């Protein structure tokens, strides 16, 4: 805690030059910092790593820019967040992967860990955004547009379908699909957290059942940078006024549990070593 | 006479300003919160500072209770403290951050910027 000098030189200067901070404020901020730092012995590196490991999608940055600009103009940003009046938008990055040896690629599984969703928030909408790269391989079919179909895994009842013009399919772009129905009856796991979400995607040619190779349409996920990975965007409305310290507490908890898991692993390794000896 | 007695001011001493909105620049990096807040890294939050003394100005939108308390204070400062200079109107800001599951979240946080100060 001593070495974690979060108080910057400018803050120190301010404190020296001006009034001393109120003892209560100083005590509570120190407690908060101690809670934050005591949860991990290598906090500084961990914190830096965490930030740089997460690359925000352009879509999330544009949401932030649009609404913060609206706020600066004195407009109520919730007005812009569709009629659903959501005030929280969470993006979950796809954890699925394509088998590079599988050819042609007829179906894809998109997986999302949505366990971080809070039950304190009322979900009001959800969409899946899949990036389609430009593909030179696309041949314009004579039988009409492509038909993109999204299903929940373990179900053959389509969740969302939309057509894609063959000419548009040559250009890169984001395919947006409404997956709100999937959330309406989505079960929670034994821990009370929402279970992971799984979708599968297939594309057929026109009205036929002929499934198209997804690689031809630029949907191959192999070697994609973080920003081109599919995201599940969930719109929510806070049931009560959010407090910044809730976020801090969640962070501390998640770091704490990570440390516990590490310690548990270390304990198991020691036990195994002792048994071998 | 009552005013001078109330504050016990000496001639030439600088008077404390009346309750109003003052600058408060918040830098999330200085707070050590830049590990989870992506944007903004700083913003103008403002704060309320100054005295709520008799007579209260209408723009401070005092509550009836604040008016009574201020009056009582003006009559006998030892019996009652002056009313408090606090935010009476706040506005939200947008924050883009990383949650405990490493997901990027946009959230509109209420009550982050002081728009107006008053006596309560």
């Amino acid at each position: 805690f001593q070495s974690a000098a979060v108080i910057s030189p400018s803050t120190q200067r301010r404190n020296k030059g001006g009034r001393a901070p109120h003892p209560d404020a100083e005590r509570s901020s120190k407690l908060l910092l101690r809670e934050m730092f005591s949860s991990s012995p290598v906090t500084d590196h961990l914190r830096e790593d965490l930030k740089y490991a997460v690359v925000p999608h352009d879509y999330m940055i544009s949401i932030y820019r649009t609404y913060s600009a609206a706020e600066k103009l004195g407009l109520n940003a919730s007005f812009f967040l569709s009629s659903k009046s959501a005030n929280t938008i969470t993006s979950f990055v796809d954890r699925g992967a394509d088998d590079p040896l599988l050819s042609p690629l007829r179906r894809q599984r998109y997986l999302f860990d949505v366990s971080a969703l809070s039950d304190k928030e009322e979900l009001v909408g959800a969409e899946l955004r899949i990036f389609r790269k430009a593909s030179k391989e696309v041949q314009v079919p004579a039988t009409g547009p492509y038909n993109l179909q999204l299903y929940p895994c373990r179900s053959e009842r389509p969740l969302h379908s939309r057509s894609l013009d063959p000419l548009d399919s040559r250009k890169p772009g984001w395919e947006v699909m409404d997956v709100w129905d999937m959330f309406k009856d989505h079960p929670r796991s034994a821990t009370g957290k929402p279970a992971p979400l799984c979708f599968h995607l297939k594309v057929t040619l026109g009205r036929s059942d002929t499934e198209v190779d997804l690689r031809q349409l630029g949907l191959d996920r192999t070697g994609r940078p973080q920003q081109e990975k599919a995201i599940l965007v969930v719109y929510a409305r806070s049931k009560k006024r959010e407090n910044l310290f809730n976020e801090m507490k969640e962070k501390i908890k998640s770091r704490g549990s990570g440390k516990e898991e590490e310690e548990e692993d270390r304990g198991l390794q020691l036990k195994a070593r002792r048994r071998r000896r | 006479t009552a005013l001078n007695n109330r504050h016990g001011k000496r001639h030439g001493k600088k008077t404390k300003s009346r309750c109003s909105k003052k600058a408060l620049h918040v830098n999330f990096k200085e707070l050590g919160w830049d590990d989870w807040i992506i944007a903004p890294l700083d913003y103008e939050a403002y704060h309320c500072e100054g005295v709520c003394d008799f007579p209260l100005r209408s723009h401070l939108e005092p509550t009836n209770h604040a008016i009574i308390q201020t009056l009582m204070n003006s009559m006998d400062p030892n019996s009652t403290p002056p009313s408090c200079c606090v935010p009476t109107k706040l506005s939200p800001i947008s924050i883009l951050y990383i949650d405990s599951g490493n997901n990027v979240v946009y959230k509109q946080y209420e009550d982050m910027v002081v728009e107006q100060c008053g006596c309560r």
Side-chain angles (χ1 to χ4, degrees):
Chain A
F1 178 66
Q2 288 294 334
S3 61
V6 168
I7 299 164
S8 71
S10 60
T11 316
Q12 285 171 334
R13 269 200 305 276
R14 263 207 307 274
N15 287 343
K16 270 181 197 168
R19 292 171 305 187
H22 188 280
D24 283 349
E26 197 176 31
R27 207 177 305 127
S28 62
S29 90
K30 273 187 180 171
L31 270 174
L32 185 68
L33 291 171
R34 194 179 305 154
E35 267 187 312
M36 279 175 66
F37 290 110
S38 61
S39 60
S40 169
V42 282
T43 334
D44 280 350
H45 297 293
L46 203 79
R47 294 159 83 222
E48 285 301 303
D49 288 352
L50 175 74
K51 189 168 180 182
Y52 293 108
V54 180
V55 182
H57 275 62
D58 288 345
Y59 181 68
M60 294 304 288
I61 294 172
S62 78
I63 283 177
Y64 165 76
R65 282 193 182 143
T66 307
Y67 300 137
S68 57
E71 276 162 9
K72 277 170 194 156
L73 292 170
L75 303 168
N76 186 359
S78 63
F79 175 77
F80 295 92
L81 303 177
S82 75
S83 55
K84 298 159 193 164
S85 67
N87 55 11
T88 305
I89 303 171
T90 309
S91 61
F92 299 92
V93 180
D94 172 33
R95 297 184 176 209
D98 298 327
D99 182 353
L101 302 174
L102 195 69
S103 185
L105 182 67
R106 303 281 190 209
R107 292 193 180 200
Q108 280 180 320
R109 259 175 189 243
Y110 289 89
L111 290 166
F112 299 95
D113 177 2
V114 291
S115 59
L117 276 180
S118 165
D119 58 356
K120 287 174 192 150
E121 287 171 337
E122 182 191 349
L123 306 184
V124 290
E127 62 190 26
L128 176 62
R129 303 179 71 87
I130 301 172
F131 184 69
R132 204 174 25 73
K133 289 190 217 174
S135 177
K136 287 171 191 168
E137 290 173 38
V138 176
Q139 292 163 358
V140 179
T143 47
Y146 293 108
N147 191 17
L148 277 73
Q149 294 164 56
L150 191 73
Y151 298 79
C153 295
R154 297 182 195 167
S155 170
E156 282 303 313
R157 224 179 89 194
L159 193 62
H160 184 100
S161 66
R162 54 165 300 182
S163 59
L164 174 67
D165 191 286
L167 291 171
D168 291 339
S169 67
R170 294 179 181 194
K171 301 172 215 158
W174 288 88
E175 299 300 333
V176 184
M177 295 174 157
D178 186 354
V179 293
W180 174 223
D181 279 347
M182 185 89 168
F183 271 86
K184 285 176 184 166
D185 308 309
H186 187 57
R188 286 183 174 261
S189 68
T191 56
K193 297 274 183 191
L197 277 179
C198 177
F199 304 95
H200 74 245
L201 176 77
K202 69 173 185 179
V203 180
T204 54
L205 203 54
R207 289 185 180 180
S208 72
D209 287 334
T210 316
E211 290 184 26
V212 177
D213 183 0
L214 300 175
R215 285 197 181 94
Q216 275 187 16
L217 290 173
L219 289 163
D220 185 14
R221 290 180 289 184
T222 314
R224 281 200 178 198
Q226 185 79 0
Q227 283 191 319
E228 288 183 5
K229 286 183 180 172
I231 48 170
L232 175 69
V233 182
V234 179
Y235 296 82
R237 189 169 42 209
S238 298
K239 287 177 188 167
K240 57 172 188 145
R241 291 210 158 191
E242 284 289 334
N243 187 314
L244 268 173
F245 285 93
N246 291 342
E247 257 68 67
M248 301 299 296
K249 277 186 224 155
E250 285 297 316
K251 276 265 160 215
I252 292 160
K253 260 192 238 167
S254 70
R255 279 178 197 151
S257 64
K259 196 190 167 194
E260 275 166 27
E261 277 168 22
E262 269 175 35
E263 277 171 1
E264 213 171 279
D265 285 350
R266 214 175 298 140
L268 286 173
Q269 280 172 8
L270 281 172
K271 264 187 195 169
R273 202 182 298 162
R274 211 174 295 140
R275 220 178 294 133
R276 278 201 300 275
R277 203 162 49 225
Chain B
T1 312
L3 268 171
N4 286 341
N5 285 346
R6 190 172 71 242
H7 297 290
K9 285 176 220 154
R10 284 188 300 257
H11 185 71
K13 191 182 175 186
K14 201 179 173 186
T15 54
K16 204 176 175 191
S17 68
R18 279 186 184 266
C19 176
S20 63
K21 194 169 94 170
K22 304 271 160 54
L24 170 62
H25 191 76
V26 175
N27 188 325
F28 288 130
K29 199 168 179 161
E30 282 183 6
L31 285 175
W33 287 12
D34 60 320
D35 62 330
W36 64 283
I37 292 183
I38 301 168
L41 284 180
D42 59 350
Y43 81 106
E44 196 54 63
Y46 301 102
H47 76 286
C48 296
E49 199 183 301
V51 289
C52 287
D53 56 2
F54 188 81
L56 287 174
R57 305 295 159 97
S58 61
H59 74 269
L60 295 172
E61 294 179 0
T63 55
N64 286 338
H65 183 272
I67 294 168
I68 298 292
Q69 187 173 334
T70 309
L71 193 61
M72 294 287 285
N73 169 261
S74 73
M75 288 161 69
D76 181 7
N78 294 326
S79 73
T80 319
S83 58
C84 300
C85 174
V86 292
T88 50
K89 195 180 169 195
L90 294 132
S91 59
I93 64 161
S94 291
I95 294 184
L96 193 67
Y97 70 92
I98 302 161
D99 73 4
S100 55
N102 278 1
N103 307 301
V104 175
V105 184
Y106 160 86
K107 193 177 275 191
Q108 193 187 37
Y109 279 94
E110 296 291 333
D111 304 342
M112 293 288 284
V113 179
V114 175
E115 290 292 322
Q116 206 174 288
C117 297
C119 296
R120 292 290 187 267

